[in-house]
Amino acid sequence: MNRTLLLFAGLLLLVTGCGPHPSAPPASAAGGAGSPPLQFEDVTAKAGIHWQRTNGAFGKKYMPETMGGGGAFIDYDNDGYADILLVNGDWWPGHPLSGKRPTLALYHNNRDGTFTEVTHKMGLDIWLQGMGVAVGDYDNDGFDDLYLTGVGGNRLLHNEQGKRFVDVTDQAGVRDSGWSTSAAWVDVDNDGKLDLFVCHYVKWTPQTDRYCGMDKKEYCRPDHYESDYSRLYHNDGHGHFTDITRQAGLLRPNMKGLGICYLDIEGRGFPDLIVANDMEPTCLFRNQGGARFKETALADGLAVSDTGQPRSGMGIDAADYRENGTQGLAIGNFAFEGMALHDLSGPPPYQERARQAGLYVPSYPYVTFGLFFADFDNDGWPDLFATNGNVVDTLSRIVPSQTYAQPCLLFQNRGDGTFADVSQTAGSPITDPIVGRGACQADFNNDGKIDILLIPNTGSARLLENGTPTQAHWLTLKLVGTQSNRDGYGATVTVEAGGRKLSGYCHSGSSYLSASDARLHFGLGSAKTIERLHIHWPDGHVDSYSSLPIDQILQIKEGAPGPVTGP
């Protein structure tokens, strides 16, 4: 084998794992008859967002450089409009100092389609080798707080009544250490206080960095490093947390966690945790009640592919995409692995349906990081978005079909358990290549259509406004817990409208390194009114309402006699 072929083979092993890969499947056919064409416009510059992400690279090929890029929609001042937080990287030790050191960025929503940067004003011009962010009101004071993950130590930033963020990491006991990735606020024991789950990837430091590659150094695969276990911090109240990972049954070897999603799979009232691991089996931690978990992914059919091999799990999300009251779980994987879609209905082991649903073939060539379900056309059927990008910036020189920057994917739900790949017709914001990492969603202008925020590994963030031509109706709900946690995370909502029954689960986490708007959005199609609305709160309380208006943002407080009109 000549030198070029050796390098080619080495790079394929470097980025996709050992062993041969099957030939790429044929291209899928688009479809979705009767649904309006999904359309998006890049409004980043028009909105006044000029932030650039850096990964700190300066020739050392440190592995964390190529993995970061998270952000969030957060209404930090409770004015009813989603603001934007963007997580930056930092300069590594030994990096030649030049220009302004990168920091976080916070953009305030001006409620007219534009944003104003308020980073310094809000105390967020801080430095960290950042990865991602989780949004949640951990002290139930009515204002969402921030937990930032990264390399070498995380940050808990308390929201001071929408006026400033204050670093309370050490007094809260959640400094953490090592290399953490995605995180989620979740009330694991339903005591009304949000706990904190933090994914960890591999044990890496600049001092333990390894040389990977042949003629020159390249980014290493995760199996070059020892795995690290994820952490669960229990909220003790009074602003302090305790690491209960071991006693909760979560201290598991061979986890290289990149994505976290939680949901109540069997409707027992407690959140189950699903962790997407890179080149290790997916983990499903079933909540046994009282902050005790049992890992069951292999028996439940989620751990490995249908060939019995672990995949390179990254982004993750779940939704009732079949409108049958149960969840479908999507996981983004590496190139030549294809996206996974697990149908969580019926008894386990659960079926893997990515091929039948039309997701596997279009995603097969790409490295899928952030992904999420959202009803972009308001027809009542959750669609699916994914952002892609390779991890080796030099790969295309040897493998022309594998580029560093890659197009996004947009799948429109046909309403029959399958999706149509409509990426090519949705506009250049979807097809323009990006080194995709984080992705999250919100209706940032409150016009009833879900928009997209993309956070790349390097370069400009992208705000994509949903311009889909639809007259379908919608409902957005902001939940406010009283006995339950104030964000309502863990609440199950059922909407009965137009003879249909739609369901949603309020939660933190999902996607990759990012936090979507906590408000629940329901497309209602042609329904003229909402006949019934049921909310099952985490503490077991149930609120029911009837004859509610459509095309509204409603705030519902646990135990209240009725909703309040938003924003």
Side-chain angles (χ1 to χ4, degrees), residues 147-414:
Y147 188 72
L148 303 170
T149 66
V151 179
N154 300 337
R155 306 284 184 90
L156 176 60
L157 302 176
H158 183 260
N159 186 342
E160 302 286 321
Q161 304 292 302
K163 297 179 175 61
R164 191 170 180 81
F165 285 91
V166 174
D167 191 330
V168 295
T169 311
D170 291 328
Q171 65 198 65
V174 290
R175 173 69 66 179
D176 210 88
S177 62
W179 179 357
S180 56
T181 53
S182 296
W185 294 101
V186 51
D187 187 356
V188 296
D189 53 0
N190 291 342
D191 66 353
K193 300 186 296 291
L194 288 177
D195 311 301
L196 179 63
F197 186 89
V198 184
C199 291
H200 275 248
Y201 191 35
V202 298
K203 295 181 179 179
W204 178 96
T205 66
Q207 293 73 35
T208 59
D209 183 65
R210 297 184 178 181
Y211 187 97
C212 295
M214 294 184 179
D215 292 343
K216 61 179 182 178
K217 192 174 188 292
E218 296 289 353
Y219 294 116
C220 289
R221 296 187 315 170
D223 59 356
H224 284 82
Y225 294 95
E226 184 181 350
S227 62
D228 201 0
Y229 61 89
S230 298
R231 273 74 156 172
L232 177 62
Y233 294 93
H234 183 263
N235 189 336
D236 305 326
H238 309 293
H240 187 267
F241 295 77
T242 298
D243 185 342
I244 62 166
T245 308
R246 183 182 296 275
Q247 52 265 48
L250 300 173
L251 191 63
R252 185 173 179 83
N254 302 322
M255 287 183 70
K256 294 177 180 176
L258 290 178
I260 169 65
C261 174
Y262 65 87
L263 62 157
D264 183 1
I265 294 178
E266 295 181 342
R268 295 180 298 110
F270 286 93
D272 307 304
L273 308 174
I274 305 176
V275 180
N277 293 304
D278 192 1
M279 297 184 70
E280 298 288 353
T282 299
C283 290
L284 167 56
F285 296 102
R286 286 191 178 269
N287 196 326
Q288 306 300 294
R292 288 287 303 174
F293 293 85
K294 180 180 180 181
E295 209 289 315
T296 63
L298 185 60
D300 288 344
L302 303 184
V304 295
S305 70
D306 53 9
T307 62
Q309 298 298 313
R311 286 177 284 203
S312 302
M314 291 169 284
I316 184 170
D317 196 22
D320 181 10
Y321 79 97
R322 300 180 70 184
E323 202 177 301
N324 63 357
T326 60
Q327 303 285 305
L329 179 75
I331 303 177
N333 296 306
F334 213 90
F336 312 126
E337 292 181 338
M339 190 183 296
L341 179 67
H342 301 279
D343 183 352
L344 304 184
S345 63
Y350 301 117
Q351 292 184 343
E352 210 287 303
R353 296 181 50 85
R355 287 175 173 83
Q356 299 94 313
L359 303 179
Y360 178 81
V361 170
S363 63
Y364 187 84
Y366 300 119
V367 181
T368 299
F369 278 90
L371 60 75
F372 56 81
F373 288 97
D375 187 356
F376 294 116
D377 53 8
N378 286 335
D379 64 355
W381 300 97
D383 309 301
L384 182 62
F385 173 85
T387 185
N388 309 300
N390 217 307
V391 295
V392 177
D393 53 357
T394 57
L395 184 58
S396 61
R397 301 175 189 173
I398 307 300
V399 190
S401 65
Q402 284 293 298
T403 58
Y404 186 42
Q406 297 180 346
C408 299
L409 289 170
L410 183 60
F411 297 99
Q412 192 167 23
N413 193 330
R414 290 190 175 105

Side-chain angles (χ1 to χ4, degrees), residues 65-88:
E65 294 169 2
T66 194
M67 300 297 292
F73 282 111
I74 171 176
D75 182 7
Y76 74 88
D77 57 355
N78 286 346
D79 67 352
Y81 283 78
D83 310 301
I84 290 175
L85 179 88
L86 299 164
V87 181
N88 221 330

Side-chain angles (χ1 to χ4, degrees), residues 375-541:
D375 187 356
F376 294 116
D377 53 8
N378 286 335
D379 64 355
W381 300 97
D383 309 301
L384 182 62
F385 173 85
T387 185
N388 309 300
N390 217 307
V391 295
V392 177
D393 53 357
T394 57
L395 184 58
S396 61
R397 301 175 189 173
I398 307 300
V399 190
S401 65
Q402 284 293 298
T403 58
Y404 186 42
Q406 297 180 346
C408 299
L409 289 170
L410 183 60
F411 297 99
Q412 192 167 23
N413 193 330
R414 290 190 175 105
D416 61 359
T418 69
F419 294 82
D421 178 6
V422 297
S423 311
Q424 295 298 317
T425 60
S428 60
I430 302 298
T431 56
D432 286 347
I434 185 174
V435 187
R437 296 295 184 264
C440 51
Q441 57 86 7
D443 178 7
F444 80 86
N445 52 9
N446 288 345
D447 67 349
K449 297 177 184 178
I450 294 296
D451 310 300
I452 297 172
L453 177 66
L454 301 179
I455 309 95
N457 180 249
T458 60
S460 302
R462 297 185 186 179
L463 180 62
L464 310 185
E465 183 178 2
N466 186 345
T468 300
T470 177
Q471 301 301 314
H473 299 294
W474 55 276
L475 173 70
T476 296
L477 298 177
K478 176 179 173 61
L479 303 185
V480 179
T482 53
Q483 299 304 307
S484 301
N485 69 85
R486 191 171 178 87
D487 285 310
Y489 290 157
T492 299
V493 177
T494 303
V495 177
E496 297 179 22
R500 301 168 66 182
K501 184 178 290 188
L502 312 174
S503 65
Y505 187 74
C506 188
H507 62 92
S508 166
S510 291
S511 191
Y512 177 73
L513 306 180
S514 302
S516 291
D517 188 355
R519 298 180 297 183
L520 288 176
H521 179 90
F522 295 90
L524 302 176
S526 59
K528 303 301 182 184
T529 188
I530 297 163
E531 289 97 38
R532 296 286 293 174
L533 173 67
H534 306 274
I535 303 173
H536 292 253
W537 296 89
D539 68 344
H541 179 79

